[in-house]
Amino acid sequence: PRLLSQFFFADERVTRVVAEINGLHAELDPQQYLVLLNQLHLSQAHLLAVLERIMEECIPTQRHSRDYLVKFPEELLVDNLGNHMLFAAECLLAGTFLEMEESDGAQLRPQARNLLCSLELVRTVLREQSLSQPNSYPEPVRTVLIQFDRLFAEFELSYVSSLVAVKSPDEIYRQQEIIVLFCETVERALHLGYLTQEMIDGYEPLLMFTIPRLAIISGLLIYPEGPLSLERSPEEMSRVFSPFYNLLKKIRDLLRVLSAEELCLLERSLCTAE
């Protein structure tokens, strides 16, 4: 159950797979080479997962901030992002610039080198600690972990920023406005009896359609100062809604001519229609 012991065996597996890859002639046995590469990917992912748990146990209050993750596109926020960063650093150090311009890769190479050197130092220090005192984290261990955590976060932000357009503070704020709109929409729908708490607690699939539909009505009529405000230009709106700016204006104009009873009937129908 000791994390340092788990790290020792995870590190042993990575070392063993790397040794097998180095001793293999890839051209003569490409199938086995691919098998070993997959094993290396899995063993490195496990090693990083154990290392993450060690840092949470050893330096929980000294971790480098990961607030920058809110700037990343949602499709990048996957469980194996850390392992992808490690692979990217190894490629950059080897002179392979995957997914990016050579000039960008050249600028990132020093960061990649520092990160991988720091990881090797962490592996050495933790192996020695696991063989001597696997129940404690003395100051030298804490120091190398803090350094690695910082270098990893800095490389992650730099690498992703070089590949995709990260969200600006304005975009993050607009995204938060949409979250607030959806929360207020749900609260209003519960109050009016359009939805029930049981539907929400039970993750009723129909809610995936119902809540966005009700949110459009709420954003256009009930909370006109919010993220669906048509007083803004399309460029000032969230990218979720800006492509539909003209359509939203037509919907708003149609909603404005409805009576209170007609609006209620419309919203109830949106809660049942598929």
Side-chain angles (χ1 to χ4, degrees), residues 15-84:
T15 302
R16 185 169 63 252
V17 175
V18 170
E20 290 184 42
I21 291 176
N22 291 337
L24 182 72
H25 292 287
E27 297 83 2
L28 300 179
D29 195 349
Q31 187 65 34
Q32 179 62 16
Y33 182 71
L34 292 176
V35 170
L36 289 176
L37 277 182
N38 184 60
Q39 290 180 8
L40 178 62
H41 176 80
L42 294 175
S43 59
Q44 284 180 329
H46 179 57
L47 181 72
L48 287 179
V50 177
L51 180 55
E52 177 69 21
R53 292 169 60 195
I54 288 175
M55 290 191 290
E56 281 299 310
E57 181 176 87
C58 179
I59 53 170
T61 62
Q62 296 168 288
R63 299 294 304 273
H64 194 82
S65 172
R66 295 303 198 278
D67 290 346
Y68 60 82
L69 290 174
V70 301
K71 298 182 178 182
F72 290 2
E74 283 75 9
E75 60 270 18
L76 291 184
L77 300 178
V78 293
D79 292 338
N80 63 345
L81 179 60
N83 203 37
H84 182 75

Side-chain angles (χ1 to χ4, degrees), residues 78-102:
V78 293
D79 292 338
N80 63 345
L81 179 60
N83 203 37
H84 182 75
M85 291 299 105
L86 182 60
F87 177 70
E90 292 169 340
C91 289
L92 287 171
L93 198 59
T96 303
F97 306 109
L98 297 177
E99 307 172 320
M100 66 173 57
E101 297 293 330
E102 184 174 346

Side-chain angles (χ1 to χ4, degrees), residues 14 38 51 94 108 129 185 207 214 271 274:
V14 171
N38 184 60
L51 180 55
L108 284 172
Q129 187 65 25
T185 296
L207 296 179
L214 294 177
C271 294
E274 298 183 1

